[in-house]
Amino acid sequence: MGKRIGILLSGRGSNFEAIAGNIRNGMLDAEIAVVISNREAAPGLATARALGLNAVCHPSKGIEREALDAQLVATLRQHDVDLVILAGYMRLLSPVFIRAFPQRILNIHPSLLPAFPGLDAQHQAFEYGAKISGCTVHFVDEQLDHGPIVRQAAVPVLAGDTAETLSARILAEEHKVYSEAIGIVLSGRYRIEGRRVLVEEN
Ligand code: GAR
């Protein structure tokens, strides 16, 4: 049995679906222990249920961040999760959460960090006139879109692009690199020196 991952999402859930697909096709050795959403209406939550996975909603509306995060930590611990995967989870995590899983939380962000942190990164890159954008998988620390980088993929901005066509090509890369990064971290074939994640090639 593969190691146990817990997935947090807020919306569409296409990164979660790509991860689930890569587990199914044998590219990624892992088991999805639980999928958690902060929005009951998140399509990704419905997908998780349709796939027969443990799917839990902890609504973020009307609850303080620390209280919500304590619920998330409890659910992740209950499902004995080795690694937490943020897959379009659009809430900031409090230190309570981050300290509960030290260097055991990954996030994917749709830009080449440290460029364009925050919301709507693809639009930010497009409007800025960047010629190359992409996506970044990184460990989560207490600063937004900041921790050590595990994997990045570059995506050129083409002359005929709109923010939407660029986003779609970035998303296709996200669906590949996230599973690769999860595989690296679950295998333990890496070490972190300062900000640098050094991967032992096999
Ligand atoms: C993805 O593009 C992901 O990189 C981005 O949200 C989208 C979620 O799509 N995440 C962030 O912007 C986090 N700052 P999905 O729900 O289809 O996986």
Side-chain angles (χ1 to χ4, degrees), residues 5 19-20 22-31 178-184 186:
I5 62 176
I19 292 162
N22 283 325
I23 292 173
R24 217 165 28 242
N25 70 29
M27 183 264 177
L28 178 62
D29 183 22
E31 187 186 338
Y178 214 172
S179 292
E180 292 169 7
I182 294 167
I184 290 168
L186 289 182

Side-chain angles (χ1 to χ4, degrees), residues 11-16 87-88 90 107-110 118 122 145 171 174:
R12 181 175 55 185
S14 73
N15 275 289
F16 148 58
M90 303 310 272
N107 181 44
I108 191 156
H109 184 76
Q122 308 95 324
D145 297 331
L171 191 64
E174 294 185 42

Side-chain angles (χ1 to χ4, degrees), residues 76-141:
L76 291 163
R77 290 216 168 114
Q78 191 187 327
H79 289 89
D80 213 5
V81 161
D82 298 299
L83 183 66
V84 179
I85 304 298
L86 307 185
Y89 185 69
M90 303 310 272
R91 304 266 312 170
L92 286 175
L93 292 172
S94 60
V96 172
F97 188 106
I98 291 162
R99 288 172 198 166
F101 295 97
Q103 290 184 340
R104 305 307 286 167
I105 310 168
L106 292 178
N107 181 44
I108 191 156
H109 184 76
S111 75
L112 292 177
L113 289 172
F116 312 118
L119 289 177
D120 269 334
Q122 308 95 324
H123 286 77
Q124 290 186 54
F126 184 78
E127 296 298 335
Y128 195 87
K131 300 299 186 196
I132 299 177
S133 193
C135 55
T136 303
V137 181
H138 64 94
F139 286 99
V140 172
D141 65 12

Side-chain angles (χ1 to χ4, degrees), residues 58-69 71 91:
H58 287 301
S60 51
K61 220 174 171 166
I63 181 172
E64 297 223 345
R65 192 180 304 283
E66 278 76 16
L68 173 66
D69 284 3
Q71 292 177 359
R91 304 266 312 170

